[in-house]
Amino acid sequence: MDTSNDNIRKLFDMLDNPAAYSEQEIFEIINCDEETRETYRLMVEAKRSSRWTQPQLSVDVDAAWQRFEQKHYPQQRPLHHWMRIAASFIGILFISGIAFAVIHFVRNHSVELQAPQTEETNIELANQEVAAPVRFDDVRLDSILTVVSAHYGKAVSFRSEEAKGMKFIMAWNPDSSLTSLIDVLNMFDGLLLTIQQDTIFVETTELKEDAE
Amino acid sequence: MLNKKILEGLFRQHYSEMFHLARTLLGADEEAEDIVQDVFVRLMETDIIPEAEGIRAYLMTAVHHGCTNFIRRTSMRQQMESLLPVDDSTDLQPIDQLTERLDAIQAYANEFTEPHRSIFHLRFDENLTLKEIAQRLDMNQNTVYKYLRLGIQQIRLKLRH
């Protein structure tokens, strides 16, 4: 019968040469008696004690957080430069509370025609029950504001003839606030809209024309 | 779900300590990181976090339990090769008690006279086999075995008291 000393020797040898022992032999050696089990347990603690009390290796918490974030939060595709600009612009529009598909700004210096079709469209839109979103396709600003102002219960006053003829392609969400629409339109160079009491005032800031 | 900014704050504040504990218990960096990440994943999925005073204990205990569960899933061979516990008795104690015991073991080992002290540290700090220790210290392998066994017995006696 193996003595306790022999069992401990076997344990040490197994720890130094694990490949030489089968899974079953490992189990039997560790559990052969209480002394051996206790010795193994203390060796586990001694090893852990060594790790615990050694100077902590510097941990790169930033890198660890990045790994965690990439794994557990939705990843965003890398954007090309032009996509970032577009995304920022669209982002600003969404922040403004208005969903725009495309905004295209065309100055029309030469044409002041009130095309009948445009007029009809204007009238049609103004009289319709406005459902979101409303799309203006290359429509003059004065026509757009006719519809918008009616929806918000405001009057419109153009201080610039040129501003009337500015054309836009845009989609407007009537559920958004008038202020947010004004903020977005004011992003265009040369155009300034202000609200005073019940009136929307429109003027250009570059080429001043006497609107009166 | 827990607010991301709050989670990130907790992560940055406690990650190092949690990782150190997991690495102490498992002896492997990759597994240690997995355990710590799992703790934060569970935290992420909850709307309730412990009060500020209790958050550290909560997180460290969660790491402790995570490591215990991980060890249970490993084979006996893996446990033995990494000097992991083969039963839960070592790991059932509270986290503060566990770390105090680890500090105490190292303190007792540092009080050993030579060659006990060198043999102990070569075995557990540098993972040398008895044969390698004997070669390093120019000693008989059987002598190294006796010193190491005696050192373990002394630690056991001190811990009991």
Side-chain angles (χ1 to χ4, degrees), chain A residues 4-6 8-9 12-23 26-28 30-31 35 37-69 71-73, chain B residues 4 7-8 11-12 15-16 19-21 23-27 33 37 40-41 44 71 75-77 79-87 89-91 93 99 101-103 105-106 120 123-125 127 129-130 142 145 148-149 152-153 155-156 159:
Chain A
S4 178
N5 189 50
D6 289 339
I8 302 295
R9 279 185 187 276
F12 279 29
D13 183 68
M14 181 184 71
L15 291 171
D16 285 352
N17 304 285
Y21 295 83
S22 68
E23 187 95 4
I26 293 169
F27 176 82
E28 288 172 358
I30 290 176
N31 292 290
E35 174 81 15
R37 266 196 299 276
E38 181 70 13
T39 300
Y40 180 80
R41 209 176 291 139
L42 281 163
M43 292 181 78
V44 168
E45 289 191 285
K47 183 62 202 172
R48 285 178 164 180
S49 169
S50 168
R51 294 189 202 113
W52 176 252
T53 56
Q54 280 182 8
Q56 285 192 38
L57 297 172
S58 168
V59 177
D60 189 343
V61 180
D62 285 337
W65 171 252
Q66 276 184 10
R67 287 192 293 275
F68 181 85
E69 190 178 31
K71 196 172 173 183
H72 299 290
Y73 286 95
Chain B
K4 183 180 175 183
L7 188 79
E8 183 179 355
F11 188 101
R12 291 183 181 279
Y15 181 85
S16 289
F19 180 77
H20 182 57
L21 175 63
R23 186 162 55 186
T24 293
L25 298 178
L26 300 179
E33 177 162 357
Q37 282 208 4
F40 282 105
V41 168
M44 186 173 83
I71 292 168
S75 67
M76 181 153 281
R77 175 177 294 283
Q79 291 168 356
M80 187 268 293
E81 287 176 347
S82 303
L83 257 188
L84 299 176
V86 296
D87 59 41
S89 58
T90 309
D91 283 355
Q93 54 194 322
T99 56
R101 194 171 161 98
L102 296 181
D103 285 329
I105 289 172
Q106 199 61 212
F120 193 90
R123 178 61 186 85
F124 295 109
D125 293 350
N127 296 321
T129 63
L130 294 185
N142 189 54
Y145 160 76
L148 184 58
R149 188 180 173 195
I152 292 172
Q153 287 175 334
I155 285 178
R156 184 199 305 177
L159 287 173

Side-chain angles (χ1 to χ4, degrees), chain A:
Chain A
M1 189 171 156
D2 287 335
T3 64
S4 178
N5 189 50
D6 289 339
N7 293 337
I8 302 295
R9 279 185 187 276
K10 233 182 251 182
L11 174 68
F12 279 29
D13 183 68
M14 181 184 71
L15 291 171
D16 285 352
N17 304 285
Y21 295 83
S22 68
E23 187 95 4
Q24 182 63 30
E25 285 170 324
I26 293 169
F27 176 82
E28 288 172 358
I29 289 170
I30 290 176
N31 292 290
C32 64
D33 57 35
E34 183 56 35
E35 174 81 15
T36 309
R37 266 196 299 276
E38 181 70 13
T39 300
Y40 180 80
R41 209 176 291 139
L42 281 163
M43 292 181 78
V44 168
E45 289 191 285
K47 183 62 202 172
R48 285 178 164 180
S49 169
S50 168
R51 294 189 202 113
W52 176 252
T53 56
Q54 280 182 8
Q56 285 192 38
L57 297 172
S58 168
V59 177
D60 189 343
V61 180
D62 285 337
W65 171 252
Q66 276 184 10
R67 287 192 293 275
F68 181 85
E69 190 178 31
Q70 283 166 7
K71 196 172 173 183
H72 299 290
Y73 286 95
Q75 288 188 3
Q76 293 181 352
R77 289 178 302 150
L79 297 177
H80 298 290
H81 180 66
W82 67 267
M83 289 172 71
R84 283 196 216 106
I85 293 173
S88 302
F89 184 61
I90 293 172
I92 290 170
L93 300 177
F94 276 102
I95 288 169
S96 304
I98 298 173
F100 277 85
V102 172
I103 289 190
H104 180 66
F105 177 50
V106 177
R107 287 184 187 271
N108 189 336
H109 295 277
S110 59
V111 179
E112 279 195 23
L113 294 175
Q114 294 282 337
Q117 188 177 358
T118 304
E119 274 298 320
E120 283 176 22
T121 303
N122 288 345
I123 293 169
E124 188 181 346
L125 285 171
N127 289 338
Q128 276 176 358
E129 265 191 41
V130 181
V134 175
R135 184 171 175 81
F136 299 104
D137 202 351
D138 201 30
V139 176
R140 289 166 55 98
L141 183 59
D142 54 359
S143 300
I144 291 172
L145 290 180
T146 299
V147 174
V148 168
S149 62
H151 178 67
Y152 293 109
K154 304 289 184 188
V156 180
S157 172
F158 279 89
R159 291 175 174 160
S160 159
E161 284 301 311
E162 187 188 35
K164 287 181 182 177
M166 293 179 179
K167 290 189 175 181
F168 292 87
I169 300 172
M170 63 183 244
W172 160 61
N173 182 358
D175 289 335
S176 62
S177 68
L178 175 59
T179 306
S180 54
L181 172 61
I182 299 296
D183 287 342
V184 171
L185 290 171
N186 279 339
M187 279 196 262
F188 291 91
D189 284 344
L191 184 64
L192 178 64
L193 283 77
T194 52
I195 304 173
Q196 293 176 24
Q197 295 179 335
D198 292 325
T199 304
I200 303 170
F201 291 93
V202 187
E203 59 195 299
T204 56
T205 59
E206 285 178 4
L207 296 173
K208 293 195 185 274
E209 287 185 20
D210 197 345
E212 292 169 7

